[in-house]
Amino acid sequence: MKLGESSKMNVEWAFLTHLRELGRETAASWLNRNHADIGTRSTVDLRRMFQGIGPQHQGWPICKAAF
């Protein structure tokens, strides 16, 4: 679900409860797919998830002289 920028300012109760339900459904779906693997293997491919992002988003210090 793609939300517009204005959604950040939407504090209507119906909208907030809708977001809560989306979060619960997403969590339940993830648990159904991955429950057996929790604690035994990686359930997230971090390399794929963060592939292509720039170094400014990878936690690298701006000033490499600090190292």
Side-chain angles (χ1 to χ4, degrees):
M1 172 183 208
K2 182 81 171 160
L3 300 174
E5 291 181 24
S6 64
S7 68
K8 296 176 183 177
M9 301 298 288
N10 189 346
V11 295
E12 293 178 19
W13 187 249
F15 180 68
L16 296 175
T17 55
H18 174 70
L19 291 179
R20 180 190 63 197
E21 290 306 313
L22 284 176
R24 288 178 174 178
E25 291 170 10
T26 301
S29 175
W30 185 89
L31 281 171
N32 285 336
R33 289 189 319 272
N34 296 291
H35 185 266
D37 296 323
I38 295 174
T40 61
R41 72 167 186 84
S42 177
T43 54
V44 176
D45 184 351
L46 294 176
R47 185 177 310 276
R48 191 180 96 212
M49 182 183 288
F50 294 104
Q51 185 176 25
I53 66 170
Q56 69 273 22
H57 302 292
Q58 296 177 3
W60 301 106
I62 293 173
C63 177
K64 293 186 179 184
F67 288 98

